Amino acid sequence: MPVWELSSAARVVPPARPRKLAKVPFVELADGRLQGVVSSGSDAGRVYVSSIATGTYAFACSTNNNRPCGGARGSFCNHIRALVGEAVLQYGAERVARYLKADTGETPGTETDAHRLVALMTATRPAQGDTSAAAPVFSRFLRHLAYLELEPTTAPLPEMQWFPPTRTVA
């Protein structure tokens, strides 16, 4: 068994390119959506939870307390555009396009930028989607923030102890 499998720490895949976390502190490809938390441009104390559904590009954007985004009326708002841009930096444009099932018409390995990806999705006239995913996304974001406050250690985290032991280490 490899040594890393005996650790409670997970390997982290480095971002495709470095990104600044001030505007979009949390972005993930999960639950059939590109989703994340985007800071408000006008209020430092407000964040938006934005998402785009895979395949349909149905979008949703609301504050962390479920108030709808004023800019997401019939089209992608600036929060969603920022989310796509940061996802491209984090995961690479090819991976984001593949996850969202966006046919860019390019050969694999050709870098599609965020602007072209947004243009491709908005050309399909996506509908506004359900905002019910906002609470779980924001909850995962807060949990990630809590991990940042922990002191670095190699000791197991108590909340990760639910994994069944696969091998006893003597």
Side-chain angles (χ1 to χ4, degrees):
M1 180 180 286
V3 175
W4 65 269
E5 287 185 5
L6 300 174
S7 172
S8 64
R11 291 185 293 173
V12 176
V13 177
R17 291 187 300 233
R19 64 185 198 93
K20 296 178 181 166
L21 300 176
K23 183 65 178 166
V24 183
F26 183 69
V27 61
E28 65 180 354
L29 300 170
D31 304 327
R33 291 182 298 273
L34 163 60
Q35 55 195 15
V37 175
V38 182
S39 300
S40 170
S42 60
D43 183 355
R46 182 180 300 144
V47 294
Y48 289 83
V49 180
S50 304
S51 66
I52 302 172
T54 299
T56 64
Y57 316 129
F59 61 94
C61 187
S62 61
T63 64
N64 56 312
N65 58 1
N66 263 349
R67 297 187 192 272
C69 170
R73 297 192 179 162
S75 185
F76 287 0
C77 63
N78 289 337
H79 305 114
I80 291 174
R81 292 173 190 276
L83 179 70
V84 172
E86 291 299 313
V88 165
L89 291 177
Q90 180 71 33
Y91 299 108
E94 186 176 328
R95 183 173 175 193
V96 173
R98 191 172 54 244
Y99 187 83
L100 291 173
K101 297 180 182 170
D103 183 16
T104 59
E106 296 179 7
T107 56
T110 305
E111 191 67 20
T112 303
D113 69 350
H115 296 292
R116 289 188 58 200
L117 191 54
V118 166
L120 174 80
M121 290 187 288
T122 55
T124 66
R125 303 239 184 244
Q128 246 177 306
D130 185 14
T131 61
S132 64
V137 172
F138 193 67
S139 179
R140 273 199 300 280
F141 167 62
L142 292 177
R143 189 170 50 239
H144 279 69
L145 286 180
Y147 288 131
L148 293 175
E149 294 175 357
L150 296 175
E151 292 294 323
T153 181
T154 57
L157 293 172
E159 66 188 46
M160 300 298 282
Q161 293 301 307
W162 64 271
F163 289 108
T166 56
R167 182 175 146 192
T168 307
V169 180

